[in-house]
Amino acid sequence: MKTSLDFLFFLRTQNCLKENTCLEYARLAKYLGNNLESALALKKFCLSKQRSGTQAETLNKYLKVARWWCLFTQENWYHDLKKFRCFPKHKPTLNENELKEFVNLKTNPVLDAFWLLHCFSGTRPSEVARLQLNDFDLDNNCFYPQNTKTNDGKPIILFAWVKEEILPYLRAQNGPFAFSFNGGPRPLSLRTVEKDCQLRLRLMHCDKHITPHSFRHTFATIGIASGKVPIQYMQRLLRHSRITTTMHYLDQSVDFMREAAAVHPYHHFTA
């Protein structure tokens, strides 16, 4: 019988996978358990997770694990899942007015400053929650998050008005972390961030399925939809290694496609 440990050894033989990815996939395979026995069982499992509010990124990883498991066991049922999408095509985001209302809500000084920096920097929630005070370079209006997904060491731009808003808060902190309660030795937990996010959404009477990571999508969607930020610039702001990842934020609506066609040189071309 194939075990998750055998699966881990198999993944390590694949040159295209990093060690952290192998460990994560092996952990998920152990968590899925018997749901890896058939495509139908995995499909039902993903649907149940989707109804319970599991993030789309996690559901997508389940399908990736299923693909590698099929290669590992030499089974051929993965093709039954190719047409199955367990997450929405367009991830839910907030518009500009909803974003302003969300940020202007006051629940706690630590969380207020967290949301201000997170929403207007395009970062991941974990990157902001673990920021230390010495990660900020306020003279150059940027900060350097540690333990990022890419680990590229590149700075993240800090808008001047955001800097002015959070500067009094940062100066009042006396602990190692920028966002911690009472200057404690531990950073802000993502569970606390998630609870505060849902609280603010309830106060707004917003029924969208928004998570803390959704504000990264909001940052990209609003920037690209404005037409003033080239997609290559947005790729650098989001620190995507591939531009195809950034292209997922392009609006595919008919109105957007019509506006794009209107500025094309062929729009005024006559044969």
Side-chain angles (χ1 to χ4, degrees):
M1 180 179 179
K2 303 291 185 179
T3 65
S4 59
L5 186 59
D6 298 329
F7 184 46
L8 176 60
F9 292 148
F10 166 76
L11 293 176
R12 285 175 172 171
T13 62
Q14 310 301 314
N15 297 329
C16 59
L17 295 178
K18 298 180 180 178
E19 177 64 19
N20 292 340
T21 304
C22 294
L23 293 173
E24 183 179 15
Y25 284 4
R27 178 181 58 83
L28 286 176
K30 184 177 181 180
Y31 175 69
L32 290 173
N34 295 330
N35 293 291
L36 286 172
E37 292 181 355
S38 66
L40 181 60
L42 181 61
K43 181 175 180 179
K44 290 181 178 180
F45 177 82
C46 290
L47 284 175
S48 64
K49 285 294 182 180
Q50 182 182 10
R51 296 190 189 101
S52 63
T54 303
Q55 291 189 10
E57 290 80 4
T58 304
L59 298 178
N60 192 26
K61 287 180 182 178
Y62 289 155
L63 295 182
K64 290 181 180 179
V65 171
R67 173 179 174 270
W68 285 108
W69 183 269
C70 288
L71 293 175
F72 169 55
T73 58
Q74 298 181 353
E75 298 174 355
N76 59 358
W77 55 261
Y78 179 77
H79 68 278
D80 297 332
L81 289 172
K82 288 184 177 180
K83 296 182 180 180
F84 170 63
R85 298 181 63 89
C86 61
F87 49 89
K89 187 176 182 180
H90 298 291
K91 300 176 181 179
T93 58
L94 298 179
N95 56 42
E96 292 188 52
N97 294 330
E98 292 172 336
L99 181 61
K100 291 179 181 179
E101 183 181 358
F102 182 92
V103 174
N104 288 332
L105 290 172
K106 305 299 181 183
T107 57
N108 182 279
V110 178
L111 291 165
D112 296 342
F114 169 87
W115 288 118
L116 188 63
L117 182 61
H118 172 52
C119 293
F120 297 102
S121 61
T123 52
R124 300 175 181 88
S126 59
E127 296 173 349
V128 179
R130 298 171 185 171
L131 278 176
Q132 298 187 14
L133 292 177
N134 54 13
D135 293 333
F136 287 88
D137 186 1
L138 298 178
D139 294 334
N140 295 317
N141 290 350
C142 63
F143 58 95
Y144 296 82
Q146 305 298 324
N147 301 320
T148 62
K149 185 177 181 180
T150 55
N151 290 323
D152 52 11
K154 295 180 180 179
I156 296 178
I157 300 301
L158 183 63
F159 294 128
W161 69 270
V162 176
K163 170 188 170 181
E164 296 299 327
E165 289 285 342
I166 68 171
L167 189 57
Y169 165 81
L170 294 176
R171 288 176 175 174
Q173 297 303 302
N174 52 11
F177 293 100
F179 302 100
S180 62
F181 295 106
N182 301 323
R186 295 182 180 180
L188 189 65
S189 68
L190 295 181
R191 181 58 180 167
T192 302
V193 172
E194 175 67 31
K195 288 182 178 180
D196 189 71
C197 177
Q198 299 305 319
L199 173 61
R200 291 171 182 250
L201 292 173
R202 289 196 299 270
L203 294 175
M204 293 170 53
H205 303 288
C206 178
D207 56 354
K208 295 181 179 179
H209 180 60
I210 299 295
T211 65
H213 194 81
S214 300
F215 294 95
R216 178 173 166 88
H217 305 317
T218 301
F219 179 86
T221 303
I222 292 179
I224 295 177
S226 67
K228 300 179 181 179
V229 183
I231 192 169
Q232 294 86 351
Y233 289 4
M234 184 57 66
Q235 178 191 5
R236 295 184 179 183
L237 289 174
L238 297 175
R239 292 165 294 127
H240 285 155
S241 58
R242 292 175 296 180
I243 197 170
T244 53
T245 305
T246 314
M247 291 177 64
H248 292 163
Y249 299 105
L250 288 173
D251 190 355
Q252 301 297 328
S253 63
V254 177
D255 294 337
F256 180 84
M257 301 301 291
R258 188 179 292 111
E259 292 177 3
V263 298
H264 195 281
Y266 286 0
H267 181 69
H268 302 286
F269 183 80
T270 55

